[in-house]
Amino acid sequence: MTSLRTRERLIQRLRDQGVTNMRVLDVMLNTPRHIFLDEALSHRAYEDTALPIGHGQTISQPYIVARMTEVLLGAAGGNLQKVLEVGTGSGYQTSVLAQLVPQVYSVERIKPLQDKARDRLRQLGLRNVQMRHADGGFGWPEAGPYDGIISTAAPQAIPDELLKQLAPGGVLVIPVGGREQQLHLVIRDGESDKFVTRVLEPVKFVPFLSGTAR
Ligand code: SAH
């Protein structure tokens, strides 16, 4: 179930769906997604689907992890030193980012999920991730600005704070909407307060909620 063949099949599926960034595909081939799931579900880890991780949340579908990471890297034009992730969840997307970006900051509102994710990243030896238990709607201003921000939960509208914490030329990748959601790419136009937005494709994420939970 965790064999190289099984993982290779998943990577082939991602390529069939249009993912082309070889660095992203290579990192995903070598990241053990099964350790981000409870044992009862780990046999399904290399299926291309979202799966429950408790607390009403899900680990993102591999295709969407690949796609968002590829969009982030592509739009930032090789200039990605520091990234903020909102919605650590299982830590799977975090671990993919941590292998591609020097500094990763990740915010999660549900404490037990964050604690498990921290253990998994440690287990993988990924030491370039800082985590915070907080409402990501406020970003993480003390550590910003960020070259990239990625949200793995969908707000109804893009929080202003996230836009404010983008560095000049910084890139935000975020699902937006309720029952119907679209993946958005927002790029800060130089030093200005102008933002260029592109709507990429329909997606399905858990809602972006305010406040924190223990
Ligand atoms: N990338 C994660 C996705 C987890 S689902 C994974 O693959 O495992 C999205 C996560 O966003 C959930 O854990 C949810 O608790 C968290 N979330 C939702 N709204 C949030 C907010 N305002 N601040 C921080 N985390 C939030």
Side-chain angles (χ1 to χ4, degrees):
M1 110 195 144
T2 60
S3 70
L4 189 59
R5 283 278 311 272
T6 312
R7 292 190 201 178
E8 277 170 353
R9 263 200 301 273
L10 172 61
I11 299 310
Q12 187 54 50
R13 201 187 138 94
L14 302 180
R15 297 181 73 153
D16 292 345
Q17 291 178 94
V19 178
T20 57
N21 186 310
M22 288 309 292
R23 290 178 67 215
V24 173
L25 290 168
D26 191 53
V27 163
M28 289 186 65
L29 176 65
N30 292 301
T31 302
R33 189 168 182 255
H34 62 276
I35 73 161
F36 294 89
L37 287 160
D38 288 339
E39 218 157 72
L41 279 174
S42 60
H43 66 287
R44 300 188 57 192
Y46 301 98
E47 293 175 16
D48 188 22
T49 69
L51 291 165
I53 54 171
H55 306 270
Q57 307 305 317
T58 54
I59 184 171
S60 304
Q61 179 192 357
Y63 165 74
I64 205 72
V65 171
R67 180 79 179 115
M68 287 176 82
T69 309
E70 167 174 272
V71 167
L72 188 77
L73 295 180
N79 211 1
L80 218 50
Q81 278 298 311
K82 192 175 8 166
V83 168
L84 172 68
E85 175 190 43
V86 178
T88 315
S90 68
Y92 178 64
Q93 167 84 69
T94 323
S95 76
V96 170
L97 286 172
Q99 294 171 77
L100 293 160
V101 177
Q103 288 174 271
V104 178
Y105 291 80
S106 187
V107 181
E108 170 58 56
R109 62 181 292 281
I110 302 177
K111 185 78 166 89
L113 288 179
Q114 184 195 33
D115 290 341
K116 274 200 208 171
R118 183 181 282 117
D119 288 347
R120 291 167 177 143
L121 292 171
R122 195 172 295 144
Q123 195 183 329
L124 293 178
L126 298 169
R127 288 177 231 286
N128 55 334
V129 179
Q130 308 294 319
M131 289 190 182
R132 180 186 242 190
H133 177 228
D135 176 352
F138 301 103
W140 186 337
E142 299 82 355
Y146 305 94
D147 308 309
I149 301 179
I150 196 165
S151 175
T152 69
Q156 294 285 347
I158 296 175
D160 256 353
E161 279 307 314
L162 297 185
L163 296 174
K164 280 191 199 150
Q165 290 169 35
L166 281 178
V171 173
L172 169 64
V173 182
I174 187 167
V176 182
R179 279 171 55 94
E180 312 250 300
Q181 301 170 6
Q182 293 282 347
L183 190 61
H184 283 56
L185 165 64
V186 185
I187 305 179
R188 184 173 209 146
D189 188 1
E191 303 268 348
S192 78
D193 283 332
K194 279 207 328 233
F195 298 88
V196 180
T197 302
R198 274 179 55 201
V199 177
L200 300 179
E201 61 194 69
V203 286
K204 193 160 171 34
F205 278 86
V206 296
F208 194 107
L209 300 174
S210 57
T212 58
R214 294 225 151 241

